[in-house]
């Protein structure tokens, strides 16, 4: 018998919870960039506060986020100011069979005008065979097909959280760096590098050093949120295949408003961020049969279960789902053709004929084809007409949808951004309230034609005019006193009739003593004197003049007795002295003429 | 006939190269290696890098080397005579010998986004190339752990030198995972059960039997955050971890980073990685790696005799740059290593 068939398999079962058992893999490997003898980028001016310090601070806060669910497994390349070789960082993650790798960095540039968020990934294609021209020592990447999605989410979340822009790459915020970063080129797991902002900029360095507005936590939460979103997105296609077309069979309310934080909706597949205007989400109180939404059930790993299904008061998003599924499953709604994130969606007003754009991001992981449709309603949403349609080919990334509107002007218009899926004729949308303006005939867009508008350049649809002078309050320089001519001699925006200093430019109208005169034209700023009486005409009002009847504009009062020198005839004494170790020197003088009458020391 | 001729000339060329390198070594490095002297450097052939264990593996008896090029598993004798064993149908993630006649290969294929990922562990007969599947796993791309399904990783080594793999089954109902350690061996069932693995606990390093029954604490934690694997020598007197050799006898420590000198030009960090203990003498083998904070710049191969405090940089000794991922032969005299996409054998003999 050949020895080759003698091999045997020895098996030992070990529960992962036992004290010394090795776990199979970790969920994420966090790598605070640089450290120890490698400071990374140097900070703008704060001594000993360089990139390695910022990276570690952020990473440890990410750890706090990872600890919260208590079931996410992770490892760190460093948790102190340690020197760690690049290849060790990647190899350690590989040894631990990590599913993902996030290296946290902060950028630097001599150009202070540059300010953006960036995330790096590697596009090196995965392949059954190694590329023939591969750089010696680098790997080819089998597990890299989701790197760009992870990096994309990181850039978006951090950029939005910081309120700074994304780098001007082809896909903003996303850059392929397979050939310039070892932790990417040597990694076999989904990997990304974050370059959140520029610590060479003194303002941004201070953000981190002083933790302005919880800046560190903001970045750490953004990194965690992006990673979590990426994790959830991985199940997207698989679940679609498994459950598409399955109708809910039982009533089982599931509440997912866990995703709703303040005005930010954080659902993994349908999200709207940073909108200044009120919005409607097309999924509120919907069910599949009446609102034409796809509903999908998604399995997920256990550690998210406890946060998914819970009870909340309004607003509640209710779905009817199959109650046969247990609590280890997720229930999420998404539209196959268009889970998207609009991140510049403010629509305040639009002039007729003016070109504008709606910019949106298709969530990485989106599949299918469809159309994006901009619709307009002039009657509060009762009826809609299409402005324009753009085909959607399933690509991810940022998109611009140019649009414009025609007349007539409408004060209560709505703009609806709708995604329509070819596969199953389903759609979803977000809606913005806005105003359509005729920027020529009604320049202030308040619905009143210029010639009839009591304030043609400032929007005041109510035309309020308190003093009845024909000039609307919104642009009246004296709204409570009739002044049809709007006279304003000092050009300080306050009409003469209600200006507390009509001839002195004083925009703030400061008046410390509360009399009728503003400080800049009051002859006694600290004491109310409506009459402004000044007998000696020295520019200082009587009520605060130290020589009421004698001209003394400088108000000199050497002996400090409250009487100005020019009218102080009482001899006052003033003694001064100085001390040194040996003696006390002193002098005494008459204040009137300042002549010394006694001096000496002892 | 043509093939015969070309093989003849190829072997002649390789022999000439080996002789030339040997002369270079002997003439330039008289003090090289204290227990061994270098006889020659043999170029084996082109190889791909395999990320988990490295590009080249010695057979159990040290008579052959296995490596992979363009998805083909190849075997060479120690003279550089290479033969093809068989074609792999997915990309190799790790491979190692199970016996003189079998090699275990872990493979993965990721055809593209939204298409299932395949993972496979097979045994390949080194004579016939016949493949026997041990485990196959299919999942959606990336991260998701699917209840009831099993993934594998490895191989990891026991302290006794056996390879074992981890098979993890996810159980969504209980929230726990079940981890199964599985070792391949040749008629070694009983002994493998008693093999040991190293595990870092909160208060130090433990040596634990493979089934987790018994454990012995070996030493305290030298650093707060332990990264990278830890190795123990055959005599169990020393452990080797990132940049440190630690004596289990007197707790003394040797910093390998301090032995390799300051960072190379244009680099900011230098350290060591991919270690192994010589199975016979007090010598460790490792890759010296230097980076500039963004990219690794220099890789070299280091040999350090920790009883005589003597470092040898293989690159300098043999005149080949970018040497890395060295592996001792089972007898400890030879070293297989990888440099610039090729596998070499550093042939040494005892003084």
């Amino acid at each position: 018998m050949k020895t080759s068939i003698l091999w045997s398999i020895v098996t030992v079962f070990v529960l992962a919870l036992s004290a010394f058992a090795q776990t199979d893999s970790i969920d994420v490997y966090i790598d605070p960039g640089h450290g120890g003898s490698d400071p990374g980028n140097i900070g703008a001016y704060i001594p000993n506060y360089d990139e390695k310090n910022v990276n570690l601070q952020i990473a440890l806060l990410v750890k706090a986020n990872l600890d919260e669910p208590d079931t996410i497994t992770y490892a760190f390349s460093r948790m102190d100011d340690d020197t760690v070789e690049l290849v060790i960082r990647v190899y350690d993650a590989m040894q631990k069979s990590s599913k993902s790798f996030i290296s946290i960095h902060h950028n630097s540039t001599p150009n202070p005008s540059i300010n953006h968020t960036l995330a790096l990934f590697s596009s090196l294609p995965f392949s059954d065979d190694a590329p023939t021209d591969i750089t010696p020592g680098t790997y080819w990447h089998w597990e890299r097909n989701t790197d760009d999605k992870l990096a994309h989410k990181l850039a978006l979340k951090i950029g939005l959280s910081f309120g700074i822009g994304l780098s001007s790459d082809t896909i903003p915020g996303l850059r392929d760096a397979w050939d310039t970063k070892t932790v990417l080129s040597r990694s076999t797991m989904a990997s990304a590098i974050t370059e959140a902002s520029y610590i060479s900029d003194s303002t941004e360095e201070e953000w981190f050093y002083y933790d302005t507005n919880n800046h560190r936590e903001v970045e750490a939460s953004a990194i965690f949120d992006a990673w979590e979103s990426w994790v959830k997105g991985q199940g997207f296609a698989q679940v679609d295949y498994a459950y598409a077309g399955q109708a809910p069979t039982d009533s089982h309310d599931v509440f997912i408003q866990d995703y709703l934080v303040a005005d930010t909706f954080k659902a993994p597949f349908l999200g709207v961020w940073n909108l200044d205007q009120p919005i409607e989400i097309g999924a509120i109180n919907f069910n599949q049969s009446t609102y034409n939404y796809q509903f999908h059930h998604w399995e997920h790993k256990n550690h998210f279960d406890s946060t998914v299904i819970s009870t909340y008061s309004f607003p509640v998003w209710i779905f009817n789902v199959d109650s046969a599924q247990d609590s280890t499953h997720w229930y999420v709604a998404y539209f196959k053709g268009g889970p998207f994130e609009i991140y510049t969606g403010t629509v305040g007003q639009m002039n007729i004929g003016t070109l504008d754009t709606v910019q949106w991001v298709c969530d990485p992981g989106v599949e299918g084809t469809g159309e994006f449709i901009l619709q307009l309603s002039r009657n509060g949403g009762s009826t809609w007409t299409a402005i324009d349609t753009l085909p959607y080919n399933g690509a991810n990334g940022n998109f611009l949808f140019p649009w414009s509107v025609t007349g007539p002007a409408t004060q209560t218009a709505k703009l609806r951004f709708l995604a329509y899926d070819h596969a199953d004729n389903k759609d979803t949308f977000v809606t913005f309230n806005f105003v359509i303006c005729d920027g020529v005939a009604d320049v202030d867009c308040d619905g009143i034609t210029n010639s009839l508008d009591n304030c043609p350049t400032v929007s005041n649809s109510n035309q309020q005019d308190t003093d009845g002078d024909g000039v609307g309050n919104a642009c009246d320089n004296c709204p409570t006193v009739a002044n049809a001519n709007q006279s304003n001699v000092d050009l300080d925006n306050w009409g003469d009739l209600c200006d507390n200093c009509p001839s002195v430019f004083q925009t703030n109208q400061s008046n410390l003593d509360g009399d009728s005169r503003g400080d800049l034209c009051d002859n006694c700023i600290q004491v109310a004197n409506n009459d402004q009486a000044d007998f000696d005409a020295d520019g200082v009002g009587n009520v605060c003049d130290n020589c009421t009847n004698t001209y003394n504009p400088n108000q000199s009062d050497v002996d400090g007795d409250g009487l100005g020198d020019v009218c102080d005839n009482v001899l006052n004494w003033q003694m001064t002295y100085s001390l040194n170790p040996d003696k006390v020197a002193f002098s005494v003088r008459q204040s009137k003429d300042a002549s010394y009458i006694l001096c000496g020391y002892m | 006939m043509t093939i015969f001729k070309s093989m003849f000339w190829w072997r002649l060329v390789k022999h000439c190269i080996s002789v030339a390198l040997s002369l270079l070594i002997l003439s330039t490095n008289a003090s090289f290696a204290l227990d061994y002297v270098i006889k020659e450097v043999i170029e084996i052939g082109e190889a791909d890098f395999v990320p988990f264990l490295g590009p080249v593996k010695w057979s159990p008896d040290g008579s052959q080397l296995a490596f992979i090029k363009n998805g083909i598993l190849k075997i060479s004798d120690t003279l550089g005579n290479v033969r093809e064993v068989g074609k792999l149908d997915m990309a190799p993630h790790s491979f190692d010998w199970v016996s003189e006649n079998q090699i275990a290969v872990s493979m993965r294929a990721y055809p593209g986004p939204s298409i299932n990922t395949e993972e496979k562990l097979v045994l390949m007969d080194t004579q016939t190339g016949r493949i026997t599947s041990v485990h196959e796993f299919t999942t959606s791309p990336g991260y998701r752990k699917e209840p009831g399904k099993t993934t594998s990783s490895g191989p990891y080594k026991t302290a006794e030198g056996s390879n074992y793999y981890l098979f993890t089954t996810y159980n969504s109902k209980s929230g726990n995972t079940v981890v199964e350690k599985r070792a391949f061996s040749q008629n070694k069932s009983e002994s493998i059960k008693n093999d040991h693995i190293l595990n870092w606990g909160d208060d130090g390093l433990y040596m634990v039997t493979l089934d987790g029954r018994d454990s012995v604490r070996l030493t305290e934690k030298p650093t707060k955050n332990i990264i990278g694997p830890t190795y123990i020598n055959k005599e169990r007197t020393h452990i080797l971890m990132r940049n440190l050799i630690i004596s289990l006898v007197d707790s003394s420590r040797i910093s390998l980073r301090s032995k390799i000198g300051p960072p190379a030009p244009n680099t900011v960090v230098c350290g060591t990685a991919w270690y192994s203990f010589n199975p016979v003498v007090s010598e460790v083998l490792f890759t010296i790696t230097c980076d500039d904070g963004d990219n690794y710049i220099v890789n070299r191969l280091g040999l350090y005799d920790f009883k005589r405090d003597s470092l040898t940089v293989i690159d300098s000794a043999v005149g080949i740059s970018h040497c890395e991922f060295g592996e001792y032969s089972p007898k400890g005299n030879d070293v297989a290593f990888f440099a610039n996409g090729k596998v070499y054998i550093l042939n040494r003999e005892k003084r």
Side-chain angles (χ1 to χ4, degrees), chain A residues 247-260:
Chain A
T249 59
D250 194 4
S251 178
H252 179 78
D253 291 346
V254 176
F255 306 91
I256 63 164
Q257 72 280 13
D258 275 351
Y259 302 121
L260 198 60

Side-chain angles (χ1 to χ4, degrees), chain A residues 9-16 21-24, chain B residues 134-135 150-153 156 164-169 177-184 210:
Chain A
I9 298 176
V10 178
T11 303
V12 182
F13 289 94
V14 182
L15 282 180
Q22 295 183 352
T23 55
D24 172 60
Chain B
V134 175
H135 171 71
T150 301
T151 62
S152 69
S153 62
Y156 303 98
Y164 69 97
Y165 290 80
L166 293 180
F167 293 82
T168 304
T169 304
T177 57
V178 176
V179 180
E180 170 196 341
K181 294 185 178 71
R182 196 182 298 180
F184 304 125
L210 199 60

Side-chain angles (χ1 to χ4, degrees), chain A residues 209-525:
Chain A
Y209 187 77
Y210 297 110
D211 200 16
T212 313
N213 298 324
N214 294 319
H215 212 76
R216 297 178 203 152
E217 177 56 40
V218 167
E219 182 181 337
S221 295
I223 290 171
F224 177 76
D225 288 348
W227 175 79
E228 190 180 43
S229 173
W230 171 79
V231 168
K232 293 171 183 173
Q234 295 306 293
F236 186 86
Q238 182 79 3
V239 171
D240 183 38
Y241 300 143
Y243 292 93
Q246 252 188 25
T249 59
D250 194 4
S251 178
H252 179 78
D253 291 346
V254 176
F255 306 91
I256 63 164
Q257 72 280 13
D258 275 351
Y259 302 121
L260 198 60
V261 178
D263 293 324
T264 301
F265 181 61
K266 299 172 71 176
F269 303 131
L270 179 62
V272 179
W273 272 264
N274 292 352
L275 296 172
D276 295 332
Q277 294 293 310
I279 60 166
E280 298 170 19
I281 302 291
I284 290 179
N285 295 326
F286 76 88
N287 62 54
Q288 187 177 26
S289 59
T290 58
Y291 283 85
N292 282 338
Y293 285 95
Q294 276 193 313
F295 177 77
H296 288 266
H297 144 229
W298 185 47
E299 293 177 353
H300 206 280
K301 65 176 298 180
N302 299 321
H303 64 251
F304 291 110
D305 292 346
S306 61
T307 62
V308 175
I309 299 174
S310 56
T311 56
Y312 271 77
S313 57
F314 185 85
V316 175
W317 296 34
I318 300 176
F319 306 94
N320 293 324
V321 300
D322 184 353
S323 64
Q325 305 299 338
D326 62 29
S327 62
T328 62
H329 296 80
W330 275 59
Y331 301 93
V332 293
Y334 77 101
F335 170 66
K336 187 178 177 186
F340 50 84
E341 303 172 357
I342 294 181
Y343 66 87
T344 54
T346 302
V347 181
Q349 66 181 48
M350 269 291 283
N351 286 338
I352 294 167
T354 301
L355 188 66
D356 196 4
T357 57
V358 172
Q359 183 178 13
W360 77 93
V361 177
C362 277
D363 198 5
V366 172
E367 290 188 334
T369 61
E371 285 148 11
F372 286 121
I373 305 166
L374 268 186
Q375 294 179 321
L376 174 68
S377 173
R378 297 177 187 272
N379 52 17
S382 298
T383 57
W384 296 89
T385 55
I387 297 176
D388 203 354
T389 299
L390 280 183
Y392 172 64
N393 63 6
N396 302 323
N398 292 26
F399 298 88
L400 295 175
F401 198 149
W403 65 290
S404 61
V405 292
T406 58
T410 309
Q411 288 290 300
T412 56
K414 286 178 181 287
L415 182 71
R416 187 157 78 176
F417 183 83
L418 185 144
Y420 183 85
D421 181 22
H422 284 157
D424 47 15
N425 300 322
K426 302 290 170 36
D427 59 31
T428 191
F429 58 85
V430 289
T431 304
F432 312 91
N433 296 322
F434 80 116
V435 176
I436 301 172
C437 311
D438 183 336
V440 178
D442 175 19
V443 294
D444 60 4
C445 193
D446 59 3
I448 313 295
T449 305
N450 297 340
S451 59
L452 302 174
D453 196 341
N454 64 12
C455 188
T457 58
V458 180
S459 177
N460 66 332
S461 56
N462 62 11
Q463 296 287 292
Q464 191 171 11
D465 179 15
T466 303
D467 57 12
D469 60 2
V471 182
N473 290 354
C475 54
D476 192 343
N477 65 13
C478 197
T480 58
V481 179
N483 64 333
N485 63 6
Q486 297 286 294
S487 173
N488 177 19
V489 172
D490 58 11
L491 302 176
D492 62 359
N493 297 330
W494 293 87
D496 297 340
L497 295 184
C498 50
D499 190 345
N500 64 14
C501 275
S503 57
V504 180
F505 185 90
Q506 186 189 14
T507 55
N508 64 9
Q509 298 286 292
S510 173
N511 183 11
L512 294 175
D513 56 11
D515 59 10
S516 59
R517 292 300 188 101
D519 296 338
L520 294 185
C521 56
D522 191 345
N523 63 12
C524 189
I525 295 172

